[in-house]
Every structure is written in structure tokens, then in C-alpha cells.
Amino acid sequence: MFAKKKMYKYFLLCISFLMIFSCESENNLNNVGSSWMDAQSKIVMIDTLTMRMSTVMMDSVATSGKNVMMIGNIKDQTFGKVTSSSLFELTPASYGINARTTAVFDSLVIYLTNTDFYYGDTLKSYQLDVYPLTDRIKLNNGYLYNKSNFNYSSTSIGTAVFYPRPNKDSSYVKIRLNDSFGQNIFNTLKNNDVTNQEAFLNFFKGLALVPSDNNNAMLRFGINSSYQVQINKSTKEKVSNLVRMYYHAGSQNGTDPVKYTLDLNPSTTYQYNKVHSDFTGSELADLSPKNPIPSTNLNNKTYLMAGIGVYTKVEIPYLKTLKNLYENYKIIDATLSLSPVTGYYSNQFYNPSPLYYYVGDRFNTIVGSYTDGGTEITASLSNGSEFQNEHQYSFSLLTFFNNILTESSTSNYNTLIYPSSYRDVLSGKVVVGDAKNKTNPAKLKVYILGY
């Protein structure tokens, strides 16, 4: 008899657990609007909606007008090789010089400051070279893109080899440019050969900052930044990102020479980052703007990389079937969780945070941002757990779901995810799992109120 009672209690306990952990649960909903819901109202959690994920590549990425120089290389088996150079015009602070009759050229130096961002191996030495442009930079409908191409000389006029120290207040890069190049600019200004920017550009079209092939890191420098670095303790001379000419007026009657400087500032309009990608031999060897790759062809993974326009695309083809569940319904929440695949990141090549996500059309063109009260929302990385398979980005898709479910026609909109704002210029890469990835699966959970 005791055994029967014990078995009966065990049976009741099992039934209780089943009720508690059921995905479909009836709730007392008085606190969420009992005036319009009856006793049959239910909140249901759905995690079985089909997701199609793929890696897509934009034809080009606008990299001008960002006030940012991004310079470097990244090389690995995932993305192959990505190289970024920065090309820009120079604008003199003045088209003349002081003490013209006695002025003597000393040097021409480029300073790069405000290394507020890095990605890759900064523990090894880093080299970049300076080349004079041989082509004028021309805008394309007001923009310059990562694939815009303008030629520069094959002969370097300056080289810097240094160890990157990003986010250090005293960090700057100093490159003394070839004296003959500097002397030519000095003579042009001294002889009053130019009086405006157009005439100046006919003589000197600009500069290209190009990384060495041996680098394996990306660095970013601001342009005309208000951030300044003191480069001389005795004179308290400060610089931001610019080219500075040093010259002096010859001494007269035994007096000391008078020293002068003239700044040539990088243009904020006619400047861009030329970012080239070569996927040969990498996991993305078949990727191109015309050839997206489904996650099923990449071992249930998708890829993202900033600077070259590689996005993860998420489609939910049967989203509208949610309308068939109840006569009346309300989407309470819809969250997509993506987990970086273990083995594709490290302390140097870290998972960027946040990720940005956009509404895309069937041509993979961005048609809108995910916003909350007019503010663009992002997905930050949650990586507090010691278990890497629990690291994840969480994307709120509530607005997207409601828009698709209430549209009068079929839009075929999707979600495009990127490691930076498409308006910014950064470098960073992420590899995430799709819904069938064995170690880091994507998860989509939707909570719907039916009544």
C-alpha cells in the first residue's frame, strides 16, 4: 500500500514538472490587459521557425567622408588577405610662406595620432610607406568607395617601422618625407606658383599610406582630429594628423634664424580607404557580390567582415504563418541569438562588439535600420560565461516581425548583420553558427499572445 501511494505521488510530481516546463502555457494575464482577453488567452513560445542564413558581399562600401584612415593587412585561412590603404589630398594652411626672400627649407614630416582602434597582431613591428599620388582623386556621385582606384608612384618617399601602441595618449607616428619631395613643395609655395587649391593639386595630387605585406594588423587614425599629442617637451609643440613643413628664415646681422612651420591638412572630402580583399585559398574562395554562399555550404556557418562589405543574411521565409495560429494575436517578443564559432577568434582577432543589423531587400540592399525611438539599436556580445559556446549576440527582431506581419504585400525583407555601422570604417570579423551548427547554433525565440 505504501509503495502504491509513493508511486502515485511520483506520478503527480512528473505531471507538475511537465506543466511547468511546457512551451505552451496558460497564464493569468490580469496585469497585461484582462479587459480584452478571455480565460483562453495563451502566451506561446515558438522556437521552430525556419531560418535561412547565408554570407553575402556588397559590391562596394563607401569609405570616404568618415574622417578615418584605416591602414593595414589581415591574413588568415578564413578570409584570405584583406589590405587597406588610405589615399587623400593635402590642403596647405597658406599658399605662401613667411620671409620669402630668405626662407630655407628644413624638412617635411607627416604625423599620425589618435590610434583609437586596432585589430590583429600589434605585438610585432608594423611598417607603412608613403607614396605620392599620380592621379587626381575624383568623387563618384559624391562618394569614394573601397574599390575606387587611383594610381600612386612606385617609389616610396617615406617609411615608418614601429610597434603599435593603440589607445595611448602619447602614441603617435612620425615619418620624415623625402627631402627632394618636400623641397619641391616648398619651392612651389616660395615662388608663388600657386594661389589656390586647384592650382596646388596640379602640382601635388596627394599621398597614399600603404601597409607592408608583412603586417598582420589594422590600425585606424583620425583625420584633422582635435586630439593632439605633444611631440616636443621644450617647445611644447603639438600635432594632430597632418603633414608639417619646417623651414627657417636666414639669419641677418648675427641674429638667430627664425623658425616657421606650415601645415598641410588631409582633406576630409577627398580622402578614402582603399580596401582590397583576396579570398584565394580561403574558406570564402567562392564568395563574390554575385555569388552569396548559403550556410549549408560552409559547414553551417556564416561570416561577417567590416570594411569589405561581407554580411550575414538572415531570412525567415515562413514568418507570416504565425498569423494562422490564432484569430487574434500579439507578438510579445522575438529575439535572435547568434553565437561566435569556437576556434575563429582570439585575443588579437577578437569578436567585435557591438554588431549592427539592418533591414535588407531581396537584392541585399540596406533599406532601413533597426531603431528604438529613432535611435539605431545594436547587438552587444555577451561573453561573461567561461564556456565559449555560451557567448552570444542577441538581436531584437520585434519591430521587424510586427512590420512583416502587418504589411499588405510581400516585401521579401531580410536582416543583414555587419561588424560595424555601414556608415563607419572599421575592421573586424565574426564567424557564427546557423541553426544546425553542432557547437554554436543560432536560436530564434518568439513569444506570441493568442486570444
Side-chain angles (χ1 to χ4, degrees), residues 207-223:
L207 297 176
L209 303 183
V210 182
S212 165
D213 287 338
N214 295 324
N215 301 330
N216 197 21
M218 289 280 185
L219 300 181
R220 193 171 83 152
F221 304 92
I223 297 178

Side-chain angles (χ1 to χ4, degrees), residues 336 352-357 377-381 393-396 417:
L336 169 66
S353 182
L355 296 185
Y356 293 73
Y357 57 123
I377 57 177
T378 59
S380 296
L381 176 64
Y393 299 92
S394 294
F395 303 83
S396 173
I417 304 172

Side-chain angles (χ1 to χ4, degrees), residues 98-147:
N98 295 307
R100 180 176 288 112
T101 57
T102 59
V104 177
F105 172 77
D106 291 323
S107 63
L108 187 67
V109 177
I110 183 169
Y111 294 98
L112 301 173
T113 66
N114 193 17
T115 52
D116 64 343
F117 170 88
Y118 74 95
Y119 192 78
D121 186 359
T122 60
L123 298 179
K124 61 182 294 188
S125 64
Y126 180 99
Q127 178 178 328
L128 66 85
D129 289 276
V130 185
Y131 298 88
L133 293 180
T134 56
D135 287 344
R136 284 281 299 273
I137 295 177
K138 297 180 180 180
L139 301 181
N140 180 2
N141 293 322
Y143 294 94
L144 294 161
Y145 299 86
N146 65 313
K147 294 184 179 180

Side-chain angles (χ1 to χ4, degrees), residues 144-246:
L144 294 161
Y145 299 86
N146 65 313
K147 294 184 179 180
S148 298
N149 188 38
F150 303 98
N151 294 320
Y152 52 84
S153 171
S154 59
T155 302
S156 171
I157 58 172
T159 300
V161 179
F162 59 96
Y163 287 91
R165 294 294 179 263
N167 299 317
K168 298 289 185 181
D169 288 342
S170 60
S171 176
Y172 68 94
V173 180
K174 176 181 178 181
I175 310 172
R176 177 163 178 163
L177 302 184
N178 181 276
D179 282 345
S180 62
F181 178 80
Q183 185 74 59
N184 287 338
I185 294 180
F186 177 80
N187 291 342
T188 299
L189 299 175
K190 180 179 180 179
N191 297 335
N192 205 27
D193 291 333
V194 298
T195 57
N196 55 57
Q197 181 66 4
E198 184 66 23
F200 179 79
L201 291 173
N202 287 333
F203 283 91
F204 304 101
K205 297 173 175 60
L207 297 176
L209 303 183
V210 182
S212 165
D213 287 338
N214 295 324
N215 301 330
N216 197 21
M218 289 280 185
L219 300 181
R220 193 171 83 152
F221 304 92
I223 297 178
N224 294 339
S225 172
S226 59
Y227 177 87
Q228 292 185 325
V229 172
Q230 182 172 299
I231 60 174
N232 190 312
K233 291 184 178 180
S234 60
T235 64
K236 297 183 178 181
E237 179 184 4
K238 294 183 178 181
V239 297
S240 55
N241 294 280
L242 50 75
V243 176
R244 178 164 288 176
M245 178 184 292
Y246 294 90

